[in-house]
Amino acid sequence: MAKNEVSAELRAQYEPVIGIEIHVQLNTLSKAYSADPTEYGAAPNTQTSPVSLGHPGTLPMFNEGALKAAVKLGLAVGADIREVNEFARKNYFYADLPKGYQITQDKTPICNGGFVEIKDAEGNPKRINLTRIHMEEDSGKSSHDIDPFNTLIDLNRAGVPLLEIVTEPELRSGEEAYQYLTEMRRLVRYLEISDGNMEEGSLRCDVNVSVRKVGTEKFGTRVEVKNLNSFRNVQKAIDYEVNRHIALIEEGGAVVQQTFTFDAARSKTQLLRDKEDAHDYRYFNEPDLQPVIVKEDYIESMRSQMPPLPKELFAKYREQGLSEYDASLLTDSKEIALYYEAIIEHTKNYKAAANWMMGSIKSWLNERAAHISDFPLAASSIADLIQLVDDGKVSNTVANGELFKALLEAPEKKASELAESMNLIQESNTEDLQAWVDQAIAKYPDKVAEYKSGKKGLTGLFMGEVMKLSRGKADPKLASKLVIQTLEK
Ligand code: ADP
Ligand code: MG
């Protein structure tokens, strides 16, 4: 058996223990401790200054934008927010760290505790508790694969504000890790504190993995896997490590506390280095920054600026009678949820509003790979369409078809006026309907006889004829009632 494969039987005897550290790059306009701009994609080494480069005699200055983001995230996960926030220097030498240290928080993280909710393997809600969230700064970026001989360094990123979010070792599978990351990314996007893009490096994570025998308490020795560039790769890296640990232990070996990277091309982890210990960094208080004091009234003012959170909207939609599936799709992205919110300001038919979002609107977006902000119709127009259907004035098919299409071409028009001018209003005048029904029935005397002798399925044929005669305008519910009544006479 290959080293990373274990039988299902063996696998079931072990429990994975996983903790995740996420670094979220904040979308502040300037850096954490200097006025340098933070725009992504600028030419290398153009967004630096003596302060971010740590030249002698320069002094850092704290960016309140990072504090706002930290407090909002803390409130969103229900963490305790610290009043006296000290900064620390984490010292290490690396070419992309021009100061020789990173300004971070060590003993006094801004947030302690809090949790996010995911689903466990059985589909039941599971809380993932957070240990801490702290404020720090990013390093520069080293590129090893651009120049064949040299490592290139771009210091634009050096000093960009980050939040580090650390979980308790409570995740139990690669799948749970995937869900946790998805949930965290959704949260920072709702809060608009980060774009959460993993490809651009605005969200990075390190995972810590160990295994223990099912039923035992004591944690096994953990390894850390870094440089994971997608949530699926996080899941794969964890699965790979879990199997490697089990195989190693079963062979009589022992896991060594080490740091790995994930080789996505070969779907396996690779040893990077032995793990450094906290004391290697010789943390000490940052002497150039005053502690940041966060008072209760500041926290309250942030609380009053909080946007709706996905879990709150989810609960609200479930209460409105939407399925779990609809509610989770609607809350997947904030922009989609807000558009739905705007529709239901004008209608109480929640199910119809959800159907429009997931149906015609979503198809329109998908066909164009567009964003909801590109969608030309006002939410109130969608509510008008829903009303026309509910009033029996147009069929659902017409509303989602011809009428929707026409409205997209003339978004300023009112749906009802357009329906009228396009002659799409359904006929629910009983007299007119009865005339079409009589005509349809008169056309097929032999089919009427068959119907009378028990072939009830033939109503479809007569309905089709009524629709044809009315050129699609017959109110189908009413027409079908009349067809049956007339045939049964
Ligand atoms: P470090 O200072 O080395 O980064 P931390 O104590 O900050 O270590 O923990 C980092 C992460 O590792 C946390 O998410 C924590 O939950 C997780 N962790 C700690 N011990 C274990 C373990 N034995 N197995 C798996 N994860 C662990
Ligand atoms: Mg850590």
Side-chain angles (χ1 to χ4, degrees), residues 4 30 66 69 106 120 181 215 234-235 254 309 322 406-407 458 481:
N4 67 328
S30 56
D106 178 27
D120 67 13
L181 291 168
V234 170
Q235 191 174 356
L309 296 176
L322 299 189
L407 206 52
L458 281 167
K481 213 170 100 194

Side-chain angles (χ1 to χ4, degrees), residues 21 23 90 132 134 164 166 206 208 222 224 275 283:
E21 297 162 88
H23 288 92
K90 180 180 182 180
R132 59 187 277 162
H134 66 255
E164 179 173 328
V166 184
D206 304 333
N208 290 268
R222 66 174 150 143
E224 189 171 11
K275 168 93 185 139
Y283 282 95

Side-chain angles (χ1 to χ4, degrees), residues 146-162:
I146 297 176
D147 184 286
F149 305 109
N150 301 298
T151 287
L152 303 184
I153 311 254
D154 177 7
L155 294 174
N156 285 352
R157 204 178 69 179
V160 168
L162 301 176

Side-chain angles (χ1 to χ4, degrees), residues 126-162:
K126 173 175 176 178
R127 276 187 183 192
I128 304 301
N129 288 295
L130 303 182
T131 313
R132 59 187 277 162
I133 301 173
H134 66 255
M135 300 180 283
E136 59 183 30
E137 62 178 327
D138 213 341
S139 60
K141 196 174 162 153
S142 311
S143 299
H144 307 287
D145 52 4
I146 297 176
D147 184 286
F149 305 109
N150 301 298
T151 287
L152 303 184
I153 311 254
D154 177 7
L155 294 174
N156 285 352
R157 204 178 69 179
V160 168
L162 301 176

Side-chain angles (χ1 to χ4, degrees), residues 17 19-21 166-169 208 210 219-220 222 275:
V17 172
I20 297 187
E21 297 162 88
V166 184
T167 73
E168 290 290 298
N208 290 268
S210 66
F219 287 154
R222 66 174 150 143
K275 168 93 185 139

